[in-house]
Amino acid sequence: MITVYYIRHAESMGNVNHHLIGGRSNYLPLSSRGESQAHALGKRLQIENLQLHHAFSSIAVRAHSTANIVCSYIGFPTEKIHLTEELVELSQGDWEGEVRKEKFTDDVMLEVRGNPYHFKAPNGESQQEVENRMFRWLENTVQKLDNDKPQNLGVFSHGFAIKTLIRRMMNSDPAMTYWTVIHNTSLTCFQFNDGQWMIDRINDYSHLAGSEFIGHY
């Protein structure tokens, strides 16, 4: 059986400045609180004695930084973390860096609600496009592995990108993707066995219990 641990990056400066549209913004670093969150997850996985056989990360600074911190706790060599552009966040195209309320007006939100699966910002990506990209990468990666041998994969990615995979696995209404919460450094785990995908857990952030962190974004 193959278990895939999807980990959302720790809090970034884009999360702190939530009034601006982030999208990919691959250059944004972690905030100081984000670094603390990543260390908290690393300590938790160290206590749980999680052993990763492979680790992958989005090319975004915030995801790779999270991966480096977490992997340093569990003994996975950081130089063996595979970086891939296929794990990046949904692109907001021409709107990235713009003031959120100026772009997501009432009229635009009506359009989003009316067509949540296919709506996209100018020169950006739709939910469907992100979902297809994320699931294609997952399927291709698993196919290269020996499915008869238990293996753990750590995948450091992004909130909305992970939510599209959840939608795919559950075959849920695309509108529900916007109402699913994935916290920074939370674990969402899928298991692949006998050619079938199973959901093990979603948005597990128990390592942050009792600590201060910004809500869902």
Side-chain angles (χ1 to χ4, degrees):
M1 181 171 64
I2 295 174
T3 302
V4 186
Y5 295 84
Y6 272 90
I7 299 167
R8 186 189 176 190
H9 63 81
E11 182 186 270
S12 71
M13 294 308 298
N15 297 141
V16 173
N17 295 298
H18 188 57
H19 65 290
L20 301 178
I21 298 173
R24 290 187 176 177
S25 299
N26 293 331
Y27 58 90
L28 291 173
L30 297 181
S31 66
S32 58
R33 176 159 42 189
E35 292 180 358
S36 296
Q37 291 172 343
H39 283 286
L41 175 59
K43 292 175 183 177
R44 170 191 172 179
L45 297 183
Q46 182 183 52
I47 292 172
E48 294 179 358
N49 197 30
L50 175 67
Q51 301 294 315
L52 292 182
H53 299 91
H54 305 277
F56 305 87
S57 173
S58 155
I59 62 171
V61 170
R62 58 194 185 276
H64 191 203
S65 296
T66 304
N68 282 334
I69 293 172
V70 172
C71 286
S72 68
Y73 276 92
I74 60 177
F76 188 91
T78 55
E79 66 273 13
K80 291 187 177 181
I81 299 171
H82 297 279
L83 299 179
T84 173
E85 190 172 0
E86 292 179 273
L87 295 173
V88 296
E89 183 60 291
L90 170 144
S91 170
Q92 293 284 13
D94 298 342
W95 289 359
E96 290 188 2
E98 298 293 325
V99 177
R100 185 176 301 277
K101 66 180 181 181
E102 292 179 358
K103 297 300 179 181
F104 286 97
T105 62
D106 291 343
D107 288 341
V108 169
M109 290 308 300
L110 283 174
E111 187 177 351
V112 173
R113 295 186 186 102
N115 193 11
Y117 203 43
H118 299 104
F119 175 86
K120 57 183 173 181
N123 295 313
E125 284 181 296
S126 67
Q127 178 181 164
Q128 181 187 39
E129 289 170 330
V130 179
E131 177 184 305
N132 289 341
R133 163 166 60 79
M134 292 287 287
F135 191 71
R136 182 174 58 247
W137 178 87
L138 179 58
E139 291 268 275
N140 290 341
T141 300
V142 168
Q143 287 174 7
K144 297 174 184 177
L145 302 177
D146 182 358
N147 293 337
D148 294 327
K149 183 174 68 174
Q151 297 185 69
N152 296 326
L153 279 63
V155 183
F156 296 82
S157 187
H158 303 265
F160 193 84
I162 293 171
K163 290 195 289 185
T164 66
L165 278 179
I166 296 171
R167 193 223 72 80
R168 179 68 169 254
M169 299 296 187
M170 299 183 70
N171 193 28
S172 61
D173 185 332
M176 288 301 298
T177 305
Y178 293 93
W179 300 108
T180 303
V181 177
I182 299 293
H183 283 296
N184 292 114
T185 67
S186 66
L187 295 165
T188 294
C189 304
F190 305 116
Q191 295 178 338
F192 186 75
N193 192 31
D194 292 332
Q196 297 293 324
W197 283 105
M198 299 175 288
I199 300 174
D200 177 66
R201 57 184 134 162
I202 295 174
N203 193 37
D204 174 2
Y205 59 100
S206 57
H207 51 282
L208 298 181
S211 65
E212 179 186 0
F213 64 96
I214 298 176
H216 68 278
Y217 41 54

